[in-house]
Amino acid sequence: MRKFGIENLNIWFGKVQALKGVSLAIEANEILSIIGPSNSGKTTFLRMLHRLNELEQNFRMSGSVLMDALDVRSVDLELLRKKIGIIFALPLPLPLSIFDNVSFGPRMHGIRARKRLTDIAEQSLKQAYIWDEVKDRLHESAFKLSGGQQQRLCIARTLATGPEVILFDEPCSGLDPVSTARVEETMLELKKDYTIVLVTNNVKQAARVGDRTAFFLSGELVELDTTDKIFTAPSNKRTDDYIRGKFG
């Protein structure tokens, strides 16, 4: 089942064209890994799904971006951000307790009952695979957690608002291998219930978790295929050269 349909997407920031004629579909309950060197358009594409590019001066786009057959530009921004969560490269916990971090979103959406907030927090922390590590520390500052725990807390905070899609923008760039593995395990479990788009500079990570992988270069979508095919028999030589580390 298709979650997103993108057709002939072009994005400019002033005179600089960041994306050039990108067309692809994103299926529900898949992990789509997006790889490519710096300035290839990966993050611009991800931010477009969340409508963050609109915050930039001189932003302009053409083409269509549909989510569940609706133009994302026609969807109320607050509703869109509720449906689509985003996890950034660096963990950004709020200067609050662990519990208040997770319950912040539901409170903003009008949920006030303590029992309901407690249930949401527990469920979200369990889905993010951090509940067992924090269940006895819920009222401690989130800043007391390790970097990897903070990133999983941010995932739990996103899940607490009930999204349908989770965008990951280099979520493990500052994490050690053990924390990276925990975040990847979390992503693999979450795809049962969510659609996931992962931007990563770590091609091994893309290979480990992606159902399909898209290779971007200089604002163009060079190739999109199953992850096994991309990493064993890519159709485009530029894809093969990038995966082999010949540039990037």
Side-chain angles (χ1 to χ4, degrees):
M1 179 179 171
R2 176 177 292 190
K3 192 65 179 177
F4 289 97
I6 293 98
E7 293 291 340
N8 195 29
L9 176 66
N10 298 277
I11 289 180
W12 295 265
F13 297 101
K15 295 181 180 179
V16 177
Q17 188 168 2
L19 288 178
K20 306 169 185 175
V22 172
S23 297
L24 74 151
I26 302 173
E27 302 299 322
N29 301 104
E30 77 166 339
I31 299 178
L32 175 66
S33 296
I34 300 178
I35 60 173
S38 297
N39 300 313
S40 62
K42 306 186 303 294
T43 295
T44 296
F45 178 82
L46 197 74
R47 288 168 62 90
M48 173 273 305
L49 297 176
H50 207 250
R51 288 180 58 187
L52 287 173
N53 291 321
E54 297 173 18
L55 300 174
E56 302 290 334
Q57 287 188 335
N58 303 315
F59 163 76
R60 182 165 54 93
M61 69 171 278
S62 66
S64 67
V65 180
L66 304 181
M67 177 181 176
D68 297 328
L70 292 175
D71 188 329
V72 296
R73 289 173 291 182
S74 69
V75 178
D76 175 78
L77 193 55
E78 183 177 343
L79 177 60
L80 182 76
R81 299 270 170 83
K82 187 174 186 296
K83 288 186 172 186
I84 304 175
I86 187 166
I87 308 296
F88 296 102
L90 294 177
L92 296 170
L94 301 170
L96 302 168
S97 71
I98 294 168
F99 176 84
D100 287 338
N101 261 269
V102 183
S103 61
F104 183 84
R107 281 190 175 117
M108 292 294 290
H109 290 290
I111 297 175
R112 294 287 183 268
R114 184 74 178 186
K115 176 68 166 59
R116 178 71 178 128
L117 291 171
T118 299
D119 289 345
I120 291 172
E122 180 175 346
Q123 180 185 7
S124 301
L125 289 165
K126 284 179 176 177
Q127 283 185 293
Y129 287 84
I130 191 175
W131 170 252
D132 288 340
E133 298 166 49
V134 302
K135 62 184 178 182
D136 298 321
R137 319 167 47 188
L138 293 178
H139 299 292
E140 290 185 11
S141 169
F143 293 140
K144 291 186 178 181
L145 299 175
S146 70
Q149 289 173 325
Q150 288 185 12
Q151 191 63 296
R152 281 181 284 141
L153 175 65
C154 291
I155 294 172
R157 190 177 68 203
T158 296
L159 296 175
T161 61
E164 299 171 14
V165 178
I166 307 174
L167 311 176
F168 288 89
D169 188 7
E170 291 288 346
C172 303
S173 62
L175 302 184
D176 61 80
V178 173
S179 296
T180 294
R182 295 300 300 274
V183 172
E184 290 177 1
E185 289 167 9
T186 301
M187 283 191 277
L188 288 169
E189 286 297 320
L190 289 175
K191 77 170 185 176
K192 297 173 184 175
D193 300 304
Y194 305 91
T195 300
I196 294 175
V197 184
L198 167 68
V199 161
T200 180
N201 286 324
N202 184 338
V203 294
K204 291 181 179 179
Q205 181 175 71
R208 285 192 295 265
V209 304
D211 295 296
R212 293 189 302 151
T213 296
F215 173 54
F216 279 63
L217 183 64
S218 300
E220 297 179 2
L221 173 60
V222 173
E223 189 169 354
L224 169 63
D225 213 321
T226 63
T227 295
D228 284 346
K229 177 82 161 36
I230 288 286
F231 282 91
T232 59
S235 300
N236 192 291
K237 185 177 184 301
R238 292 175 293 173
T239 309
D240 190 52
D241 287 345
Y242 178 72
I243 289 170
R244 292 175 183 272
K246 294 185 178 180
F247 70 94

